């Protein structure tokens, strides 16, 4: 089975899962979009109004800015994979609750395992918290971390949420800079991957 087929099976399972806490009458599943073979997996927070309507992550204003950031490094949206920590729109776009992130998390974990990206780029504090629970976005954004996540050797770069950039010019400036460093981070990762991780290097900044 290829990755596209594996993702479709997961999506079908989610569609059928009545236990998902944010699933309400007219709320659509917003599973993920992009290339299943992508090297970079972006994880945002949760769908908003437009995402729910179009059943695709990051298609509103924050999504337009994300597209612009991707374009700045010559990576069209179709060349990466994009998903969220919760896959149904929270009411009034409120923050996802811990129990909601836990419920959707079991699917997100599977998405991560299927895509098996070179690097996970977290957008905002909720997805960052999944991998770097004690990190502070203001000091860690744009930095490359190597973590042992569920026994998996994973590279993670926390980034500001694009919506935060739209609200604050300085955050936007920093996020643009962080994105411009992504291609170099990918090169650094391929080098690092050739070396086995010593125990002490787990959860380290690289
Ligand atoms: N914000 C997110 O975190 N995810 C989306 O899909 C859209 C906006």
């Amino acid at each position: 089975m290829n990755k596209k087929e594996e993702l479709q099976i997961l999506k079908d399972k989610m569609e059928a899962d009545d236990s998902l806490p944010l699933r309400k009458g007219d709320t659509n599943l917003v599973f993920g979009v992009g290339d299943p073979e992508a090297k970079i997996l972006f994880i945002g927070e949760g769908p908003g109004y437009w995402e729910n309507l179009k059943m695709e992550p990051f298609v509103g204003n924050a999504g337009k800015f994300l597209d612009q950031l991707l374009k700045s490094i010559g990576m069209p949206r179709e060349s990466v994979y994009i998903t969220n920590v919760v896959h149904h729109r929270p009411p009034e776009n409120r923050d996802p609750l811990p129990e909601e992130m836990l419920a959707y998390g079991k699917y997100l974990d599977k998405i991560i395992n299927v895509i098996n990206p070179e690097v996970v780029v977290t957008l905002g504090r909720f997805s960052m918290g999944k991998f770097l629970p004690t990190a502070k976005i203001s000091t860690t954004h744009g930095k490359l971390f190597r973590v042992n996540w569920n026994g998996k050797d994973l590279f993670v770069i926390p980034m500001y949420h694009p919506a935060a950039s739209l609200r604050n010019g300085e955050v936007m400036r920093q996020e643009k800079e962080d994105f411009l460093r992504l291609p170099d981070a990918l090169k650094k990762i391929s080098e690092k991957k050739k070396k086995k991780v010593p125990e002490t290097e787990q959860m380290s900044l690289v």
Side-chain angles (χ1 to χ4, degrees):
M1 205 186 317
N2 64 32
K3 290 186 181 187
K4 192 173 170 204
E5 289 162 339
E6 283 187 69
L7 290 175
Q8 186 59 50
I9 288 174
L10 262 179
K11 189 176 174 186
D12 292 345
K13 276 197 183 139
M14 281 190 100
E15 293 275 15
D17 187 347
D18 288 330
S19 75
L20 289 171
L22 291 166
R23 147 181 231 138
K24 301 272 145 56
D26 61 349
T27 310
N28 291 315
L29 177 73
V30 182
F31 181 80
V33 71
D35 182 359
E37 304 288 341
K39 287 188 177 158
I40 311 182
L41 172 63
F42 287 89
I43 308 179
E45 186 178 313
Y49 175 84
W50 289 107
E51 288 76 24
N52 177 54
L53 207 69
K54 299 193 176 172
M55 293 188 257
E56 186 174 323
F58 285 98
V59 287
N61 285 337
K64 287 197 186 95
F65 181 53
L66 177 61
D67 287 350
Q68 212 178 302
L69 291 166
L70 286 167
K71 220 168 161 189
S72 75
I73 51 167
M75 284 183 188
R77 181 183 178 84
E78 302 74 42
S79 69
V80 299
Y81 199 86
I82 310 172
T83 189
N84 282 308
V85 286
V86 297
H87 304 83
H88 288 109
R89 183 188 181 199
E92 264 92 71
N93 295 341
R94 65 153 170 73
D95 291 347
L97 303 172
E99 59 270 26
E100 291 164 351
M101 290 191 278
L102 203 65
Y104 288 86
K106 64 175 193 241
Y107 291 101
L108 177 57
D109 293 356
K110 286 182 183 149
I111 295 175
I112 297 167
N113 282 328
V114 172
I115 305 275
N116 195 21
E118 302 254 297
V119 63
V120 171
V121 175
T122 59
L123 299 170
R125 63 197 162 101
F126 293 102
S127 49
M128 178 181 72
K130 184 173 175 71
F131 308 98
L132 303 163
T134 57
K136 271 195 80 182
I137 190 96
S138 55
T139 49
T140 54
H141 69 90
K143 292 179 179 159
L144 176 62
F145 289 84
R146 187 172 205 168
V147 298
N148 181 341
W149 176 78
N150 290 350
K152 196 177 168 79
D153 176 27
L154 202 66
F155 288 88
V156 178
I157 304 178
M159 297 248 190
Y160 283 112
H161 194 286
S165 284
L166 294 179
R167 289 191 296 266
N168 181 320
E170 177 54 20
V171 170
M172 179 181 278
R173 192 191 61 76
Q174 292 181 21
E175 182 156 44
K176 284 181 177 171
E177 266 183 28
D178 290 345
F179 257 77
L180 291 177
R181 284 200 298 268
L182 252 180
D184 266 354
L186 277 175
K187 280 189 208 140
K188 197 168 172 183
I189 290 166
S190 338
E191 286 306 307
K192 292 267 171 192
K193 275 205 160 163
K194 289 178 197 151
K195 296 187 201 137
K196 202 176 163 334
V197 219
E199 272 315 296
T200 50
E201 240 190 63
Q202 312 252 330
M203 273 211 74
S204 66
L205 192 58
V206 290

